[in-house]
């Protein structure tokens, strides 16, 4: 349209609902656009979850076998050989809950880091809110987590049949498990937003994530109660390190899940920990979404 001015072309684009490419939309419109594509997010997440194991002989069974084998390794090493269960009555239940749920966190971080970096072709070909990609990645992991949770609960229940451990009973609190998993899903999505933008801008960070997650695993009480070792520190250090370990997000989510499924006297039900879990989920999701949105126009261009 060589004979029209810039203002006239903008008026024509507005008349026909056209939008300029590569421009970050207002936050409100961006949220509505993402929400309107939930059907696409769900379909993409389900397809991603199915495609991960479709070339293996056991297929989708690996979604359950992988966390189970992972938990068995840690139970053998830390629960039996090293006996790192300090102050925990049921070591198997403690480690199994920790490894199953932390695997969901770890995979969400790795999936989020690759959700933008490995889909540059799709980003450059189609116009859609890029937040769809990390959300779909975490949805795919949630899809594979659901059957794994059934196995996790079964192992926790059966561990109470061993003579060296106290019995584990199915109580009303088990009904709360879906709620803490939902909060963890929201939290993981927020983390996926943050690492997706960070790795999209600085790809070298993807090489560091594995080391960071390993440090988080050992410092969050996934396979042994780290707070037990705080007592060996000077009192001045205990006053600082203790609350950090108690109320850091991974530790909070694992505490609530363990208090739901086990009858450990040292891990009682605590409404304060539920409040912390809800707070971490909401704050991380909102902050992650805004951080991701602010880099919208850069994805697929850097």
């Amino acid at each position: 349209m060589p004979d029209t001015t810039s203002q006239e072309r903008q008026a024509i684009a507005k008349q026909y609902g056209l939008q300029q490419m590569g421009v970050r939309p207002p936050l409100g419109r961006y949220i509505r656009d993402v929400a309107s594509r939930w059907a696409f997010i769900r379909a993409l997440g389900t397809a991603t979850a199915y495609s991960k194991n479709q070339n293996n002989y056991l297929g989708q069974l690996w979604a359950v076998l992988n966390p189970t084998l992972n938990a068995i390794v840690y139970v053998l090493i830390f629960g039996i050989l090293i006996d790192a269960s300090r102050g925990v009555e049921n070591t198997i239940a403690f480690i199994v809950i920790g490894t199953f749920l932390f695997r969901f966190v770890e995979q969400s971080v790795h999936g989020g880091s690759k959700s933008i970096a490995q889909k540059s072709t799709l980003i450059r070909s189609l116009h859609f809110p890029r937040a769809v990609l990390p959300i779909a990645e975490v949805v795919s992991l949630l899809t594979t987590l659901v059957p794994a949770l059934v196995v996790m609960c079964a192992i926790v229940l059966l561990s109470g049949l061993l003579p060296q451990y106290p019995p584990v009973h199915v109580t009303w609190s088990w009904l709360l498990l879906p709620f803490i998993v939902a909060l963890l899903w929201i939290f993981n999505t927020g983390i996926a937003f943050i690492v997706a933008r960070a790795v999209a801008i600085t790809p070298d960070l993807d090489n560091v994530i594995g080391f960071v997650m390993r440090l988080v695993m050992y410092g969050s009480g996934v396979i042994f109660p780290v707070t037990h070792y705080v007592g060996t520190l000077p009192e001045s250090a205990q006053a600082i390190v203790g609350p950090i370990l108690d109320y850091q997000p991974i530790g909070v989510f694992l505490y609530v899940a363990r208090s739901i499924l086990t009858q450990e006297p040292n891990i009682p039900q605590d409404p304060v920990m539920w409040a912390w879990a809800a707070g971490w989920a909401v704050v991380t999701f909102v902050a992650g979404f805004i951080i991701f949105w602010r880099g919208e126009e850069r994805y697929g261009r850097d």
Side-chain angles (χ1 to χ4, degrees):
M1 304 172 65
D3 297 331
T4 58
T5 64
S6 176
Q7 291 79 5
E8 291 174 336
R9 288 194 292 269
Q10 291 180 6
I12 294 173
K14 183 178 181 180
Q15 178 182 353
Y16 290 98
L18 301 179
Q19 299 178 7
Q20 184 177 351
M21 298 290 291
V23 176
R24 183 179 68 216
L27 181 58
R29 191 174 74 193
Y30 190 73
I31 293 174
R32 292 191 297 270
D33 198 7
V34 173
S36 66
R37 298 172 189 265
W38 175 248
F40 172 70
I41 293 172
R42 186 176 55 195
L44 179 60
T46 304
T48 302
Y50 178 79
S51 65
K52 289 180 179 178
N53 295 310
Q54 65 177 352
N55 294 326
N56 297 323
Y57 287 113
L58 296 180
Q60 302 309 309
L61 188 59
W62 280 110
V64 173
L65 288 178
N66 275 324
T68 303
L69 295 174
N70 195 45
I72 290 174
V73 169
Y74 286 120
V75 167
L76 291 176
I77 295 176
F78 291 94
I80 297 178
L81 296 180
I82 299 179
D83 190 19
S85 56
R86 300 293 186 266
V88 176
E89 293 187 354
N90 191 329
T91 306
I92 292 179
F94 186 92
I95 295 177
V96 166
I97 295 172
T99 53
F100 269 69
L101 294 184
F102 181 76
R103 180 178 173 84
F104 181 34
V105 178
E106 185 178 32
Q107 288 185 321
S108 297
V109 173
H110 286 291
S113 68
K114 296 176 173 58
S115 61
I116 298 297
Q118 293 187 351
K119 293 182 173 64
S120 58
T121 302
L122 178 64
I123 292 173
R124 292 166 183 165
S125 302
L126 299 175
H127 177 65
F128 62 94
R130 310 317 187 200
V132 163
L133 298 177
I135 295 176
E137 187 65 34
V138 182
V139 167
S140 73
L141 296 172
L142 181 66
T143 302
T144 59
L145 176 68
V146 172
L149 289 177
V150 176
V151 176
M152 181 189 76
C153 292
I155 295 175
V156 170
L157 189 62
L158 293 175
S159 67
L161 300 178
L162 298 176
Q164 65 268 38
Y165 297 137
V168 177
H169 304 288
V170 178
T171 65
W172 66 267
S173 64
W174 283 46
L175 298 175
L176 299 175
L177 182 62
F179 296 97
I180 192 61
V181 172
L183 290 176
L184 184 58
W185 169 40
I186 296 171
F187 171 80
N188 288 349
T189 306
I191 293 295
F193 283 139
I194 296 172
V195 295
R197 179 177 179 182
V199 173
I201 296 174
T202 311
D204 289 350
L205 290 177
D206 192 33
N207 297 316
V208 182
I209 289 177
F211 299 99
V212 174
M213 295 309 300
R214 199 172 306 161
L215 177 63
V216 172
M217 181 184 72
Y218 289 113
S220 299
V222 174
I223 49 183
F224 54 84
V226 292
T227 54
H228 175 82
Y229 298 96
V230 176
T232 61
L233 300 175
E235 292 186 3
S236 58
Q238 293 182 30
I240 299 174
V241 177
I244 292 176
L245 293 178
D246 285 335
Y247 299 111
Q248 53 93 4
I250 307 302
V252 168
F253 286 111
L254 294 184
Y255 180 97
V256 174
R258 286 164 175 155
S259 69
I260 289 173
L261 296 179
T262 68
Q263 287 81 48
E264 286 275 355
N266 295 327
I267 315 177
Q269 290 277 352
D270 189 353
V272 174
M273 298 301 280
W274 273 97
W276 272 96
W280 277 119
V282 173
V283 170
T284 304
F285 180 86
V286 173
F289 187 86
I290 293 175
I291 290 172
F292 186 89
W293 162 75
R294 290 181 64 85
E296 177 74 10
E297 71 274 9
R298 299 182 59 179
Y299 304 133
R301 292 171 174 251
D302 293 338

